[in-house]
Coordinates of all heavy atoms in Angstrom, one line a residue:
P1326 N 52.9 24.8 -65.5 CA 53.1 23.9 -66.7 C 54.5 23.4 -66.8 O 54.7 22.3 -67.3 CB 52.7 24.8 -67.8 CG 52.2 26.1 -67.3 CD 52.3 26.1 -65.8
K1327 N 55.5 24.2 -66.4 CA 56.9 23.8 -66.5 C 57.2 22.5 -65.7 O 58.1 21.7 -66.1 CB 57.8 24.9 -66.0 CG 57.9 26.1 -67.0 CD 58.9 27.1 -66.5 CE 59.0 28.3 -67.5 NZ 60.0 29.3 -67.0
S1328 N 56.5 22.3 -64.6 CA 56.8 21.2 -63.8 C 56.3 19.9 -64.4 O 56.7 18.8 -64.0 CB 56.1 21.3 -62.4 OG 54.7 21.2 -62.5
V1329 N 55.4 19.9 -65.4 CA 54.9 18.7 -66.0 C 55.5 18.4 -67.4 O 55.2 17.4 -68.0 CB 53.4 18.6 -66.1 CG1 52.8 18.7 -64.6 CG2 52.8 19.8 -66.9
F1330 N 56.4 19.3 -67.9 CA 56.9 19.1 -69.2 C 58.1 18.1 -69.2 O 59.2 18.5 -68.8 CB 57.4 20.5 -69.8 CG 56.4 21.1 -70.7 CD1 56.3 22.4 -70.9 CD2 55.5 20.3 -71.5 CE1 55.4 23.0 -71.7 CE2 54.6 20.8 -72.3 CZ 54.5 22.2 -72.4
H1331 N 57.8 16.9 -69.4 CA 58.7 15.8 -69.5 C 58.2 14.9 -70.5 O 57.0 14.7 -70.6 CB 58.9 15.2 -68.2 CG 60.0 14.2 -68.1 ND1 59.8 12.9 -68.6 CD2 61.2 14.2 -67.7 CE1 61.0 12.2 -68.4 NE2 61.8 13.1 -67.9
P1332 N 59.1 14.2 -71.4 CA 58.6 13.4 -72.4 C 57.7 12.2 -71.9 O 56.7 11.9 -72.6 CB 59.9 12.8 -73.0 CG 60.9 13.8 -72.7 CD 60.5 14.5 -71.4
F1333 N 57.9 11.7 -70.7 CA 57.1 10.7 -70.2 C 55.8 11.1 -69.6 O 55.0 10.3 -69.2 CB 57.9 9.8 -69.2 CG 58.9 8.9 -69.8 CD1 60.3 9.1 -69.5 CD2 58.5 7.9 -70.7 CE1 61.2 8.3 -70.2 CE2 59.4 7.1 -71.3 CZ 60.8 7.3 -71.1
T1334 N 55.6 12.4 -69.5 CA 54.3 12.9 -69.2 C 53.5 13.5 -70.4 O 52.3 13.3 -70.6 CB 54.4 14.0 -68.1 OG1 55.2 15.1 -68.5 CG2 54.9 13.4 -66.8
V1335 N 54.3 14.2 -71.2 CA 53.6 14.8 -72.4 C 53.2 13.9 -73.5 O 52.1 13.9 -74.0 CB 54.5 15.9 -72.9 CG1 54.0 16.5 -74.2 CG2 54.8 17.0 -71.9
L1336 N 54.1 12.9 -73.8 CA 53.8 11.9 -74.9 C 52.6 11.1 -74.6 O 51.7 10.9 -75.5 CB 55.1 11.0 -75.2 CG 56.2 11.9 -75.9 CD1 57.4 11.0 -76.1 CD2 55.6 12.3 -77.3
P1337 N 52.5 10.5 -73.4 CA 51.3 9.7 -73.2 C 50.0 10.5 -73.2 O 49.0 10.1 -73.7 CB 51.5 9.0 -71.8 CG 53.0 9.1 -71.6 CD 53.5 10.3 -72.4
L1338 N 50.1 11.7 -72.6 CA 48.9 12.6 -72.6 C 48.5 12.9 -74.0 O 47.4 12.9 -74.4 CB 49.2 13.8 -71.8 CG 48.0 14.8 -71.6 CD1 46.9 14.1 -70.9 CD2 48.5 16.0 -70.8
F1339 N 49.5 13.2 -74.9 CA 49.2 13.5 -76.3 C 48.7 12.3 -77.0 O 47.8 12.4 -77.8 CB 50.6 13.9 -76.9 CG 50.5 14.3 -78.4 CD1 49.7 15.5 -78.7 CD2 51.0 13.6 -79.4 CE1 49.6 15.9 -80.0 CE2 50.9 14.0 -80.7 CZ 50.1 15.1 -81.0
G1340 N 49.2 11.1 -76.7 CA 48.6 9.9 -77.3 C 47.2 9.7 -76.8 O 46.4 9.2 -77.7
Q1341 N 46.9 9.9 -75.7 CA 45.4 9.8 -75.2 C 44.5 10.8 -75.9 O 43.4 10.5 -76.3 CB 45.3 10.0 -73.7 CG 45.9 8.8 -73.0 CD 45.8 9.0 -71.5 OE1 45.8 10.1 -71.0 NE2 45.7 7.9 -70.8
I1342 N 45.1 12.0 -76.1 CA 44.3 13.0 -76.9 C 44.0 12.6 -78.3 O 42.9 12.7 -78.8 CB 45.0 14.4 -76.8 CG1 44.9 14.9 -75.4 CG2 44.4 15.4 -77.8 CD1 45.9 16.1 -75.2
L1343 N 45.1 12.0 -79.0 CA 44.9 11.5 -80.3 C 43.9 10.4 -80.4 O 43.0 10.4 -81.2 CB 46.3 11.0 -80.9 CG 47.3 12.1 -81.2 CD1 48.6 11.5 -81.6 CD2 46.8 13.1 -82.2
L1344 N 43.9 9.5 -79.4 CA 42.9 8.4 -79.4 C 41.5 8.9 -79.1 O 40.6 8.4 -79.6 CB 43.4 7.3 -78.4 CG 44.6 6.5 -78.7 CD1 45.0 5.6 -77.6 CD2 44.3 5.6 -80.0
A1345 N 41.4 10.0 -78.3 CA 40.1 10.6 -78.0 C 39.6 11.2 -79.3 O 38.4 11.1 -79.6 CB 40.2 11.6 -76.9
I1346 N 40.4 11.8 -80.1 CA 40.0 12.3 -81.4 C 39.4 11.2 -82.3 O 38.4 11.5 -82.9 CB 41.2 13.1 -82.1 CG1 41.5 14.4 -81.3 CG2 40.8 13.4 -83.5 CD1 42.8 15.0 -81.7
T1347 N 40.0 10.1 -82.3 CA 39.5 9.0 -83.1 C 38.1 8.6 -82.8 O 37.4 8.0 -83.6 CB 40.5 7.8 -83.1 OG1 40.5 7.2 -81.8 CG2 41.8 8.2 -83.6
L1348 N 37.7 8.8 -81.5 CA 36.4 8.5 -81.0 C 35.3 9.2 -81.7 O 34.2 8.8 -81.8 CB 36.3 8.6 -79.6 CG 37.1 7.7 -78.7 CD1 37.0 8.0 -77.2 CD2 36.8 6.3 -78.9
F1349 N 35.7 10.4 -82.2 CA 34.8 11.4 -82.9 C 34.8 11.3 -84.4 O 34.1 12.1 -85.0 CB 34.9 12.8 -82.3 CG 34.7 12.9 -80.9 CD1 35.7 13.0 -80.0 CD2 33.4 12.8 -80.3 CE1 35.6 13.0 -78.6 CE2 33.1 12.8 -78.9 CZ 34.3 13.0 -78.1
Q1350 N 35.7 10.5 -84.9 CA 35.8 10.4 -86.4 C 34.8 9.4 -86.8 O 34.5 8.4 -86.2 CB 37.2 10.0 -86.8 CG 38.3 11.0 -86.5 CD 39.6 10.5 -86.9 OE1 40.0 9.4 -86.7 NE2 40.4 11.4 -87.6
K1351 N 34.3 9.6 -88.1 CA 33.4 8.7 -88.6 C 34.1 7.3 -88.8 O 33.5 6.2 -88.4 CB 32.9 9.1 -90.0 CG 31.8 8.2 -90.6 CD 31.2 8.8 -91.9 CE 30.2 7.9 -92.4 NZ 29.5 8.5 -93.6
E1352 N 35.3 7.3 -89.4 CA 36.1 6.2 -89.6 C 37.4 6.5 -88.9 O 38.2 7.3 -89.3 CB 36.3 5.8 -91.0 CG 37.3 4.7 -91.3 CD 36.8 3.4 -91.0 OE1 35.5 3.2 -91.0 OE2 37.6 2.4 -90.7
P1353 N 37.7 5.9 -87.7 CA 38.9 6.2 -87.0 C 40.2 6.0 -87.8 O 40.3 5.0 -88.5 CB 38.9 5.2 -85.8 CG 37.5 4.9 -85.5 CD 36.9 4.9 -87.0
G1354 N 41.0 7.1 -87.9 CA 42.2 7.1 -88.7 C 43.2 6.2 -88.2 O 43.5 6.0 -87.0
K1355 N 43.9 5.5 -89.2 CA 45.0 4.6 -88.8 C 46.2 5.3 -88.3 O 46.8 4.9 -87.2 CB 45.4 3.8 -90.1 CG 46.5 2.8 -89.8 CD 47.1 2.2 -91.1 CE 46.2 1.7 -92.1 NZ 46.9 0.9 -93.2
K1356 N 46.5 6.4 -88.9 CA 47.7 7.2 -88.4 C 47.5 7.7 -87.0 O 48.4 7.7 -86.1 CB 48.0 8.3 -89.4 CG 48.6 7.9 -90.6 CD 49.0 9.1 -91.5 CE 49.6 8.6 -92.8 NZ 50.0 9.7 -93.7
L1357 N 46.4 8.3 -86.7 CA 46.1 8.9 -85.4 C 46.1 7.8 -84.4 O 46.6 7.9 -83.3 CB 44.7 9.6 -85.4 CG 44.6 11.0 -85.9 CD1 43.2 11.5 -85.8 CD2 45.6 11.9 -85.2
T1358 N 45.5 6.6 -84.7 CA 45.5 5.5 -83.8 C 47.0 5.0 -83.5 O 47.3 4.8 -82.3 CB 44.6 4.4 -84.3 OG1 43.3 4.8 -84.6 CG2 44.6 3.2 -83.4
F1359 N 47.7 4.9 -84.5 CA 49.1 4.4 -84.4 C 49.9 5.4 -83.6 O 50.7 5.0 -82.7 CB 49.8 4.1 -85.7 CG 49.2 2.8 -86.4 CD1 49.6 2.5 -87.6 CD2 48.3 1.9 -85.7 CE1 49.1 1.3 -88.3 CE2 47.9 0.8 -86.3 CZ 48.3 0.5 -87.6
F1360 N 49.8 6.7 -83.9 CA 50.5 7.7 -83.1 C 50.1 7.7 -81.6 O 50.8 7.9 -80.7 CB 50.5 9.1 -83.7 CG 51.3 9.3 -85.0 CD1 50.8 9.6 -86.1 CD2 52.7 9.1 -84.8 CE1 51.6 9.8 -87.3 CE2 53.5 9.3 -85.9 CZ 53.0 9.6 -87.2
G1361 N 48.8 7.6 -81.4 CA 48.2 7.5 -80.1 C 48.8 6.3 -79.3 O 49.2 6.5 -78.2
I1362 N 48.8 5.2 -79.9 CA 49.3 4.0 -79.3 C 50.8 4.2 -79.0 O 51.3 3.8 -78.0 CB 49.1 2.7 -80.2 CG1 47.6 2.3 -80.2 CG2 49.9 1.5 -79.7 CD1 47.2 1.3 -81.2
G1363 N 51.5 4.7 -80.0 CA 52.9 5.0 -79.8 C 53.2 5.9 -78.6 O 54.1 5.7 -77.8

């Protein structure tokens, strides 16, 4: 795990996870979507 901890690897992966969460929401959240896009 230490070898992949870098902002340019962790942030996009986190963004994709947030967007994946919005797929399971009844009404996709604006904040989650914006943070995911960010």
Side-chain angles (χ1 to χ4, degrees):
K1327 286 184 181 179
S1328 69
V1329 296
F1330 264 147
H1331 187 278
F1333 285 117
T1334 58
V1335 174
L1336 287 174
L1338 184 59
F1339 184 66
Q1341 288 178 331
I1342 291 168
L1343 291 177
L1344 288 172
I1346 291 170
T1347 66
L1348 295 175
F1349 299 103
Q1350 293 179 318
K1351 184 176 181 177
E1352 175 71 27
K1355 183 191 310 188
K1356 286 183 182 180
L1357 279 180
T1358 302
F1359 288 173
F1360 282 122
I1362 290 171

